[in-house]
Amino acid sequence: MGIIRISDIENYESKEIEIRGWLYNRRSSGSIKFLIIRDGTGFIQATLIKNEIEKEMFEKIDNIEYESSIKVIGLVRKENRAPLGFEILVKDFEVVHKAEENYPITLKEHGVGFLMNYRHLWLRSPRQNAILRIRAEIIKSIRDFLDQNGFILIDAPILTPAACEGTTTLFETDYFGDKAYLTQSGQLYNEAAAMAFGKVYCFGPTFRAEKSKTRRHLMEFWMVEPEAAYVELEESNEIQERLITYIVGQVLKNRKRELNMLEKDISKLKLIKPPFPRLSYDEAIEILKHNGSKIEWGDDFGGEDETILSNKFDNPVFIHRYPINCKAFYMKPDPQRPEVALCADLLAPEGYGEIIGGGQRIDDYNLLAEKIKEHKLPRENYEWYLDLRKYGSVPHSGFGLGIERTVAWICGLNHVRETIPFPRMLNKIYP
Amino acid sequence: MGIIRISDIENYESKEIEIRGWLYNRRSSGSIKFLIIRDGTGFIQATLIKNEIEKEMFEKIDNIEYESSIKVIGLVRKENRAPLGFEILVKDFEVVHKAEENYPITLKEHGVGFLMNYRHLWLRSPRQNAILRIRAEIIKSIRDFLDQNGFILIDAPILTPAACEGTTTLFETDYFGDKAYLTQSGQLYNEAAAMAFGKVYCFGPTFRAEKSKTRRHLMEFWMVEPEAAYVELEESNEIQERLITYIVGQVLKNRKRELNMLEKDISKLKLIKPPFPRLSYDEAIEILKHNGSKIEWGDDFGGEDETILSNKFDNPVFIHRYPINCKAFYMKPDPQRPEVALCADLLAPEGYGEIIGGGQRIDDYNLLAEKIKEHKLPRENYEWYLDLRKYGSVPHSGFGLGIERTVAWICGLNHVRETIPFPRMLNKIYP
């Protein structure tokens, strides 16, 4: 008899097995008692029948609080009414630890603020379990896609001496007498790595000390940032299309149970396939004006603008060629029309808005030096970055995909706070 | 005719192809010129023969500095003397960008201090390329192993309100008026996640603000930390053995060319297989004393002690059951002998020393509360951690594997600074 995990139960029909987990729920119906046991991989019904188990055990089970840890031994049998299609007919059990009576999270509704204070326990709920399993699947699919497509993981540093775009939204720390900042993006380092390895990506936590409370922002979030030498804007967009399609495909294939648990409309995800529509910024502005937005050419999109645009399409949509002033100093101006940048953001459908920001980088030394000056950045911090345009500069592009926003879209959540195990929000750093 | 990457060249024998890369080196022999082109995936010889290419082009190539970016079109042919077994017979080329003359890294020897100032360019050298490709392979193999063995990735937070072991070696930052610290370990959060998911791992950057300069320490380093519910010390050690063996196997299989480039003695890596030897701390102390160390029972091992011990075995070696006072507050005392902890460190062979620290955690509420008091930790920061022992506590274990030390061992480097793209060392945060 083996110790198995609930997610594997279908392979053990009619076999005697042991499950090690926790008591999630129970109900009783006279001579039958039903336990719901969770082990982290799933939830299974374990049935105790009065005349088929020792009397003492049949009674003892009533004295155990929810979330007690328990080992259950029994026979796996088909049960079409059970969520996994199987149940365990209990022959024996052992209580490893009797939980205290006052488990704070009950099966009734709680407010999110309350639940966030108990995030360490809230993770045990079926919904949070499903979301974070999908998150893990998304991350794995991104890494697999990039590894299979010749991108090499080159971790960018977290502690950096300089900011991409000013220091007002940076977390600062003392670095042995110098100032250092928590990274907002690994991109500049990625560019150095792309000139050394051709195609690279970094994948790590990034930080933004913005005093904003929106459903799309966290102070600490994860981002994957691919960067490729000899790749121009359109090829970069094509890589993104393929990546997003791959992610969605893998989640549909491997995490269908979790999507169902979240009551996600899977039919929407099944529509995702290349090519994704491409709208110029100019076209997007026209659409927004027709829809009553007060946006003017030159403005960046607000959250509501993104929602309007992304609701127009089944697929994610690229918005390309933003005004150069909306974008970071390193964005390459379109040679045909220097007031716009060779850039594209990707908006997720169903109103989710931006999940990717990307573009082609300035490859000319003089132009880049000028832009650094124009943006009043401390040139001495960027000498190494300028070196990349002195020695073998090439056209190159890259993008950053926000993990939490991608998870929110794929899971159908209206706030990013549940998409990461321990969210860091304004005034919220416990647990 | 396709654009191909150098690492794929063996599939294109007798075909005309295009390579996009940089000029790494060249030599001339009268009517033949040999270029070495790198594209990030490898280095290839591209040969120009005087009478088989336009005269103007044959001469033009002499005016191009090293590290200029270049597209080369030509015929792939077998050449047994070339490192990859192939070369390109050049038919045409295009210089994308002529590098400036003063490329700081020449083919002669430079000091590491100098090279670290040019880390953004140094990454282009064959040796650094090989090391970081092996690093990427190691990271991929770890993730694959854990994913395949039922561990779920649950990212731990980087910004934390409390320290595992005092605040003296922590980087501090202001978090909207509160103090926050950069994480030293995701372990405490992992324990919460293990109670929710059964088997989990986190994998991210960790930080230690230690004013030390040793060949085994960085201020910012990456660590993978698996944690599993219902797993006791010996089972945790077995997971580690299998993981390490898998990592070494994948590197031998997929990165042999890079290991050869580094002149690593592969025969040593081929010896790695379970079971790894297990020494108790007591036995280790005896061995060290026999070898002239002045260590006494109760002391932690120094770097040299680790070197002595790890040189004794072909395999990595577990040292288990350290005195409880050498270890963190959450380590479970051995019930047979409470003055030692149910813990084990894994020392890599060839003198490399500790690459893993791990152990079984205290699962008893009262004992843990006592330890928090004994270590003078602020209890209010650990209430959530104590909750894990109130509600369904189970025996559980985990470990942390340091990526940079593992890369140093597998690559055969005597310092961790080359094992990470942009190392953060004492007084060293540029570029």
Side-chain angles (χ1 to χ4, degrees), chain B residues 80-322:
Chain B
N80 291 329
R81 287 163 299 179
L84 289 176
F86 294 91
E87 65 166 5
I88 300 170
L89 185 62
V90 180
K91 302 213 159 166
D92 196 3
F93 65 85
E94 179 198 334
V95 177
V96 177
H97 176 252
K98 282 176 82 161
E100 287 189 15
E101 282 178 23
N102 56 346
Y103 188 67
I105 302 177
T106 60
L107 298 177
K108 68 179 186 205
E109 291 272 319
H110 294 282
V112 171
F114 174 87
L115 290 166
M116 275 296 172
N117 286 332
Y118 290 100
R119 185 64 173 167
H120 53 295
L121 303 175
W122 189 22
L123 295 177
R124 302 177 181 190
S125 78
R127 193 178 150 80
Q128 299 305 311
N129 187 291
I131 293 168
L132 293 177
R133 284 182 168 274
I134 292 171
R135 176 189 170 96
E137 186 71 33
I138 288 171
I139 292 173
K140 182 175 158 47
S141 67
I142 292 168
R143 291 183 178 271
D144 286 349
F145 176 88
L146 293 170
D147 292 340
Q148 286 158 19
N149 283 275
F151 287 79
I152 295 276
L153 173 72
I154 300 292
D155 296 304
I158 309 299
L159 291 167
T160 59
C164 270
E165 297 152 67
T167 60
T168 52
T169 60
L170 289 177
F171 289 105
E172 184 185 307
T173 190
D174 172 72
Y175 194 84
F176 307 104
D178 283 336
K179 279 183 186 174
Y181 303 96
L182 300 192
T183 185
Q184 288 188 318
S185 158
Q187 188 210 308
L188 306 192
Y189 294 96
N190 269 345
E191 290 183 58
M195 301 306 142
F197 295 86
K199 295 180 183 181
V200 300
Y201 66 104
C202 66
F203 199 153
T206 52
F207 303 87
R208 213 156 280 206
E210 244 173 317
K211 276 208 167 173
S212 67
K213 268 187 173 177
T214 85
R215 63 188 182 83
R216 291 176 182 168
H217 288 90
L218 294 168
M219 303 304 149
E220 178 181 317
F221 56 101
W222 286 69
M223 190 152 64
V224 61
E225 296 177 86
E227 187 82 27
Y230 287 105
V231 164
E232 304 193 15
L233 181 62
E234 177 51 26
E235 188 178 347
S236 172
N237 293 347
E238 286 162 15
I239 294 166
Q240 294 168 46
E241 281 174 342
R242 289 170 49 222
L243 170 61
I244 296 292
T245 306
Y246 184 77
I247 295 170
V248 170
Q250 290 299 104
V251 173
L252 284 172
K253 193 170 114 191
N254 300 322
R255 290 289 175 253
K256 198 164 244 171
R257 187 158 61 86
E258 287 80 0
L259 290 169
N260 288 337
M261 201 277 136
L262 298 170
E263 296 171 350
K264 170 76 185 184
D265 181 354
I266 287 179
S267 68
K268 295 255 169 74
L269 293 177
K270 286 187 174 160
L271 297 174
I272 308 301
K273 60 166 185 275
F276 296 169
R278 284 145 169 81
L279 280 184
S280 71
Y281 172 88
D282 298 2
E283 291 166 325
I285 290 288
E286 286 310 306
I287 290 175
L288 290 172
K289 284 183 169 172
H290 276 293
N291 281 270
S293 172
K294 287 187 176 144
I295 198 165
E296 292 295 334
W297 199 97
D299 295 344
D300 210 347
F301 299 133
E304 290 199 18
D305 297 320
E306 289 183 8
T307 301
I308 292 169
L309 292 170
S310 76
N311 266 328
K312 297 252 169 229
F313 303 93
D314 290 336
N315 263 317
V317 53
F318 287 110
I319 314 288
H320 60 87
R321 292 178 172 75
Y322 286 67

Side-chain angles (χ1 to χ4, degrees), chain A residues 187 223-226 236 240 327 330-331 343-347 354-359 361 398-402 405:
Chain A
Q187 187 209 309
M223 189 152 66
V224 60
E225 296 178 86
S236 172
Q240 293 167 47
K327 293 292 171 183
Y330 48 70
M331 284 292 189
C343 69
D345 288 354
L346 186 69
L347 311 186
E354 185 189 338
I355 52 171
I356 291 181
R361 324 307 186 182
F399 60 93
L401 169 71
R405 291 178 177 187

Side-chain angles (χ1 to χ4, degrees), chain B residues 301-423:
Chain B
F301 299 133
E304 290 199 18
D305 297 320
E306 289 183 8
T307 301
I308 292 169
L309 292 170
S310 76
N311 266 328
K312 297 252 169 229
F313 303 93
D314 290 336
N315 263 317
V317 53
F318 287 110
I319 314 288
H320 60 87
R321 292 178 172 75
Y322 286 67
I324 200 101
N325 294 332
C326 292
K327 293 292 172 184
F329 73 94
Y330 47 72
M331 284 293 189
K332 180 166 175 149
D334 187 344
Q336 312 295 318
R337 205 184 145 204
E339 73 274 20
V340 299
L342 288 177
C343 68
D345 288 353
L346 186 69
L347 311 186
E350 302 178 55
Y352 276 91
E354 185 189 339
I355 53 172
I356 291 181
Q360 196 168 334
R361 324 307 187 181
I362 294 172
D363 46 55
D364 179 72
Y365 180 88
N366 291 325
L367 180 59
L368 185 62
E370 201 178 287
K371 290 281 178 179
I372 286 172
K373 205 168 158 186
E374 217 177 282
H375 283 74
K376 298 189 172 55
L377 297 168
R379 165 132 180 175
E380 65 276 16
N381 285 338
Y382 293 89
E383 287 297 346
W384 69 268
Y385 186 61
L386 283 160
D387 275 355
L388 307 177
R389 281 72 180 174
K390 269 190 196 166
Y391 308 110
S393 191
V394 297
H396 62 290
S397 304
F399 59 93
L401 169 71
I403 300 308
E404 287 72 22
R405 290 179 178 187
T406 305
V407 176
W409 159 47
I410 290 178
C411 290
L413 310 176
N414 65 10
H415 197 298
V416 291
R417 65 193 163 196
E418 290 178 42
T419 63
I420 187 166
F422 294 93

Side-chain angles (χ1 to χ4, degrees), chain A residues 5 21-22 38 67 69 97 120 135 150 155 158-159 172-173 175 195 220 230 387 392-393 424-425, chain B residues 5 21-22 38 67 69 97 120 135 150 155 158-159 172-173 175 195 220 230 387 392-393 424-425:
Chain A
R5 305 190 82 189
W22 293 265
R38 64 169 190 86
E67 285 304 319
S69 37
H97 175 251
H120 55 294
R135 177 189 170 95
D155 296 303
I158 308 301
L159 291 167
E172 184 185 306
T173 189
Y175 194 85
M195 302 306 141
E220 177 181 317
Y230 287 105
D387 275 356
S393 191
R424 294 304 180 228
M425 298 179 289
Chain B
R5 306 190 83 188
W22 293 266
R38 65 168 190 88
E67 284 304 318
S69 38
H97 176 252
H120 53 295
R135 176 189 170 96
D155 296 304
I158 309 299
L159 291 167
E172 184 185 307
T173 190
Y175 194 84
M195 301 306 142
E220 178 181 317
Y230 287 105
D387 275 355
S393 191
R424 295 303 181 230
M425 298 178 290

Side-chain angles (χ1 to χ4, degrees), chain B residues 39-91:
Chain B
D39 75 347
T41 73
F43 294 75
I44 191 85
Q45 176 169 296
T47 304
L48 284 78
I49 299 175
K50 194 170 187 173
N51 297 327
E52 298 186 20
I53 196 167
E54 275 180 51
K55 194 182 167 201
E56 195 195 350
M57 297 194 81
F58 190 76
E59 277 156 20
K60 186 178 151 199
I61 197 73
D62 294 332
N63 303 322
I64 301 159
E65 297 294 327
Y66 292 145
E67 284 304 318
S68 291
S69 38
I70 186 170
K71 298 177 183 175
V72 170
I73 290 169
L75 195 72
V76 177
R77 61 180 197 185
K78 256 208 145 72
E79 169 53 71
N80 291 329
R81 287 163 299 179
L84 289 176
F86 294 91
E87 65 166 5
I88 300 170
L89 185 62
V90 180
K91 302 213 159 166

Side-chain angles (χ1 to χ4, degrees), chain A residues 324-344:
Chain A
I324 199 102
N325 294 331
C326 292
K327 293 292 171 183
F329 73 94
Y330 48 70
M331 284 292 189
K332 180 168 176 147
D334 186 344
Q336 313 295 315
R337 206 183 146 205
E339 72 275 19
V340 299
L342 288 177
C343 69

